[in-house]
């Protein structure tokens, strides 16, 4: 296959995908700030030579190769080719994907404006911007941004609470009535500077509670926010002003490019995976009948360490979520129901039950729960909170009781480390990135992977991968 032929295929493919995305925008409304940001990143990366942009991006390289092969298959072309040819086609695919992402962004921007003028009016009246920058306060901007975020169910309650804290600080620094058009790079840098000196748990610690920012600035020895947390604040502000720009409220995003890099030697990893020896120690302790563990603690943890599911995904499982698909016992991880929440759309998935869980007696436990009248959830003992869903009890028990009892407690090893451990084991076993994403529910990012795999992988494929865990 030559260069011109592949370009022709890419043009035909992305024209079809672009029209489908336009139809989605027409039916469902504007792109979310997260999608806009990821598409903008794809556009930027497409302008940089491949050896600079993707030198260390092994995951992206795998996914782009996967999608390119799908496109080749779509047009009946062989995916077997010399490495030099593959690299040439891969570079061209990335350029085409960048152009596609830009086209989607352009289309999304065109439907922001309303035109109420007649053709005759236009001939004699100067054009007026539908929304003039400077006519909206920061409070109004946040209100509009929040309204659409809720409609899109963009955040789980816990994340929404965190972002509200971020916005409250922004109000305190800039003023809630501040003209959005008057917020520029100087103001954004001032916010970042304050974050670098901002104390941890300001509103919870007696020493800092109720203090103004000026008072806090004069208090030495305070423990300040970690770089990762600072970047979370800045990401919230970047998303807010990106939405403002897309909707005509601001000419630029003053918070773009303000995130702080971590020096690798000083960066504190929030969570680490458990080494295999420690995983085996945890598993043996969970199966030790002499410990008299509560069944909901035991099985909740075992499921997480054999599936990579998130804490709340495990804790909120219903009995009807354990089902047989193609002859294989599976967990149907979903957000169906008023109190069930998922992190993102990719989190909705079907994951096979690991054979070891069946060997340990999980199905017998499920039958016991089913036999008790009124039980609809796999772990009815876990109570619901708006901020943490059903996961608080299990997380606290594991982090504050179980790990200390095993003398394994550190700041970097938590319940979420079980998820990191599953991902690490799958990578070590050379499971494909696409299958790993399907198992643990990772977002596909800026690629069009979901276009080719809307129904998911067969459970038999995922089971073969999961069997390599522990």
């Amino acid at each position: 296959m030559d260069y011109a032929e592949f370009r022709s295929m890419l043009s035909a493919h992305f024209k079809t995908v672009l029209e489908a995305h336009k139809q989605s925008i027409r039916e469902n409304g504007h792109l979310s700030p997260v999608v806009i940001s990821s598409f903008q990143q794809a556009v930027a990366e497409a302008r940089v030579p491949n050896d600079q942009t993707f030198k260390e991006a092994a995951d992206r390289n795998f996914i782009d190769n996967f999608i390119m092969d799908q496109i080749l298959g779509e047009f009946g072309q062989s995916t077997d080719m010399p490495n030099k040819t593959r690299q040439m086609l891969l570079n061209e695919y990335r350029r085409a994907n960048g152009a596609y992402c830009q086209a989607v962004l352009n289309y999304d921007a065109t439907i922001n404006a309303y035109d109420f003028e007649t053709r005759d009016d236009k001939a004699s009246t100067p054009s007026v911007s539908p929304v003039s920058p400077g006519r909206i306060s920061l409070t109004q901007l946040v209100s509009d941004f929040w309204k659409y975020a809720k409609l899109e169910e963009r955040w789980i309650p816990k994340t929404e609470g965190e972002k509200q804290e971020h916005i409250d600080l922004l109000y305190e620094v800039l003023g809630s009535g501040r003209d959005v058009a008057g917020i520029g790079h100087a103001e954004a840098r001032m916010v970042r500077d304050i974050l670098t000196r901002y104390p941890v748990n300001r509103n919870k610690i007696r020493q800092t509670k109720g203090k103004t920012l000026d008072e806090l600035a004069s208090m030495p020895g305070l423990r300040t926010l970690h770089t990762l947390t600072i970047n979370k604040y800045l990401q919230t502000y970047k998303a807010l002003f990106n939405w403002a720009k897309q909707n005509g409220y601001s000419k630029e995003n003053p918070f773009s490019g303000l995130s702080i890099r971590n020096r690798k030697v000083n960066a504190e990893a929030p969570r680490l995976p458990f080494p295999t020896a420690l995983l085996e120690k945890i598993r043996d302790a969970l199966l030790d009948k002499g410990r008299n563990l509560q069944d909901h603690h035991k099985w909740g943890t075992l499921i997480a360490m054999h599936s990579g599911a998130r804490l709340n995904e495990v804790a909120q499982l219903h009995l009807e979520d354990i089902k047989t698909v193609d002859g294989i016992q599976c967990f149907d991880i979903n957000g169906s129901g008023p109190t069930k929440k998922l992190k993102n759309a990719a989190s909705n998935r079907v994951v096979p039950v690991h054979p070891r869980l069946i060997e340990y007696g999980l199905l017998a436990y499920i039958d016991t729960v089913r036999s008790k009248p009124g039980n609809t959830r796999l772990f009815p003992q876990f109570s619901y909170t708006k901020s943490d869903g059903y996961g608080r009890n299990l997380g606290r028990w594991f982090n504050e009781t179980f790990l200390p009892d095993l003398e394994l407690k550190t700041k970097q090893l938590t319940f979420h480390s079980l998820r990191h451990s599953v991902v690490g084991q799958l990578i070590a076993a050379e499971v494909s990135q696409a299958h790993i994403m399907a198992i643990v529910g990772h977002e596909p990012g800026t690629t069009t992977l979901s276009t080719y795999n809307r129904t998911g992988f067969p459970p038999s494929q995922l089971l073969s991968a999961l069997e390599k865990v522990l």
Side-chain angles (χ1 to χ4, degrees):
M1 178 188 307
D2 61 20
Y3 176 75
E5 184 180 3
F6 187 60
R7 278 182 57 88
S8 177
M9 288 168 42
L10 289 174
S11 295
H13 164 75
F14 279 110
K15 281 180 181 178
T16 302
V17 178
L18 176 60
E19 187 52 45
H21 213 137
K22 286 181 177 180
Q23 182 64 29
S24 175
I25 293 174
R26 290 193 290 268
E27 293 176 356
N28 304 314
H30 296 301
L31 302 173
S32 71
V34 173
V35 173
I36 289 172
S37 178
S38 63
F39 270 49
Q40 289 173 333
Q41 181 181 353
V43 173
E45 290 175 346
R47 299 186 181 124
V48 182
N50 176 70
D51 58 345
Q52 296 179 33
T53 307
F54 299 94
K55 183 179 291 185
E56 297 179 357
D59 291 354
R60 173 68 57 78
N61 197 55
F62 174 87
I63 295 170
D64 285 354
N65 268 293
F66 176 84
I67 297 170
M68 189 181 76
D69 286 350
Q70 293 289 332
I71 295 174
L72 291 170
E74 178 184 335
F75 288 90
Q77 299 292 328
S78 173
T79 60
D80 187 14
M81 63 188 71
N83 289 337
K84 185 176 181 180
T85 302
R86 171 166 288 277
Q87 191 59 57
M88 180 268 289
L89 298 185
L90 189 61
N91 289 342
E92 193 60 30
Y93 158 75
R94 287 166 176 157
R95 281 191 282 269
N97 184 57
Y100 153 73
C101 290
Q102 185 63 65
V104 174
L105 292 171
N106 292 343
Y107 182 78
D108 184 66
T110 63
I111 62 172
N112 285 327
Y114 290 91
D115 188 350
F116 303 113
E117 297 178 348
T118 64
R119 185 179 300 273
D120 292 339
D121 290 335
K122 290 180 182 178
S124 58
T125 307
S127 62
V128 179
S129 174
V131 182
S132 299
R135 294 187 179 180
I136 184 173
S137 69
L138 185 57
T139 305
Q140 291 172 306
L141 173 66
V142 170
S143 178
D144 282 358
F145 176 67
W146 224 259
K147 177 176 67 176
Y148 287 102
K150 285 182 176 293
L151 285 173
E152 298 172 3
E153 296 184 344
R154 196 175 302 158
W155 308 312
I156 60 175
K158 183 176 182 180
T159 303
E160 183 175 329
E162 290 177 352
K163 292 189 177 295
Q164 184 62 61
E165 290 183 10
H166 302 167
I167 295 299
D168 288 343
L169 179 61
L170 191 65
Y171 285 158
E172 187 175 2
V173 176
L174 300 179
S176 60
R178 184 69 174 265
D179 216 350
V180 169
I183 300 174
H185 292 288
E187 289 76 15
R189 289 194 298 270
M190 178 178 67
V191 172
R192 180 178 63 177
D193 183 60
I194 289 174
L195 284 170
T196 62
R197 297 178 276 109
Y198 196 69
V200 174
N201 294 325
R202 170 195 180 185
N203 297 315
K204 296 179 182 179
I205 298 175
R206 182 180 301 176
Q207 182 185 7
T208 56
K209 189 174 183 180
K211 302 291 186 185
T212 67
L213 290 175
D214 287 339
E215 289 171 331
L216 292 172
S218 63
M219 297 174 64
L222 296 178
R223 187 164 69 95
T224 56
L225 299 180
H226 189 277
T227 304
L228 295 175
T229 306
I230 293 173
N231 285 337
K232 281 187 177 182
Y233 276 80
L234 293 173
Q235 180 58 39
T236 297
Y237 305 149
K238 180 181 176 181
L240 172 66
F241 279 85
N242 199 51
W243 190 87
K245 181 181 177 181
Q246 289 291 328
N247 286 273
Y249 297 137
S250 179
K251 292 182 179 180
E252 59 181 354
N253 186 342
F255 286 92
S256 181
L258 287 190
S259 60
I260 303 173
R261 288 188 178 183
N262 261 322
R263 289 185 62 194
K264 291 184 178 181
V265 293
N266 293 328
E268 178 185 358
R271 300 181 185 95
L272 295 174
F274 288 102
T276 301
L278 296 189
L279 285 173
E280 292 173 350
K281 183 175 182 178
I282 290 171
R283 179 192 59 195
D284 292 345
L286 291 168
L287 298 174
D288 183 358
K289 295 182 179 179
R291 287 182 172 270
N292 295 318
L293 300 179
Q294 298 285 339
D295 279 344
H296 50 283
H297 290 152
K298 165 187 169 181
W299 288 113
T301 306
L302 283 170
I303 290 173
M305 67 190 300
H306 287 82
S307 67
R310 299 176 178 91
L311 172 62
N312 196 54
E313 290 174 346
V314 174
Q316 70 182 6
L317 282 170
H318 278 54
L319 291 169
E320 64 182 15
D321 295 334
I322 294 90
K323 55 184 64 173
T324 302
V325 181
D326 297 340
I328 296 173
Q329 289 286 332
C330 296
F331 297 113
D332 182 357
I333 298 175
N334 62 76
S336 302
T339 57
K340 292 172 73 176
K341 300 292 182 181
L342 296 179
K343 183 176 182 179
N344 49 49
S347 301
N348 198 323
R349 62 198 188 279
V350 173
V351 181
V353 176
H354 196 293
R356 286 287 181 89
L357 292 175
I358 297 175
E359 177 186 328
Y360 299 151
L362 176 61
L363 299 185
Y365 168 74
I366 294 172
D367 288 341
T368 299
V369 178
R370 281 199 174 111
S371 67
K372 297 180 180 179
N375 280 347
T376 58
R377 293 176 39 240
L378 180 60
F379 303 115
Q381 299 87 350
F382 297 147
S383 58
Y384 175 81
T385 64
K386 186 176 180 180
S387 61
D388 298 310
Y390 289 100
R392 176 177 292 182
N393 179 283
L394 179 57
R396 285 185 173 178
W397 171 81
F398 184 86
N399 296 330
E400 299 173 14
T401 301
F402 186 61
L403 286 183
D405 285 350
L406 296 180
E407 299 182 345
L408 299 179
K409 178 62 179 174
T410 71
K411 290 183 178 180
Q412 284 75 43
L413 295 177
T414 68
F415 190 94
H416 198 74
S417 297
L418 298 173
R419 177 172 168 84
H420 285 274
S421 301
V422 170
V423 173
Q425 291 175 82
L426 292 171
I427 292 174
E430 298 184 349
V431 173
S432 76
Q433 186 69 18
H435 285 100
I436 295 174
M437 291 161 63
I439 290 170
V440 300
H442 275 159
E443 284 272 29
T446 63
T447 70
T448 53
L449 179 61
S450 57
T451 302
Y452 303 98
N453 199 32
R454 291 172 180 165
T455 58
F457 292 104
S460 57
Q461 289 187 19
L462 301 184
L463 180 61
S464 296
L466 268 178
E467 286 175 338
K468 298 174 183 178
V469 172
L470 282 175

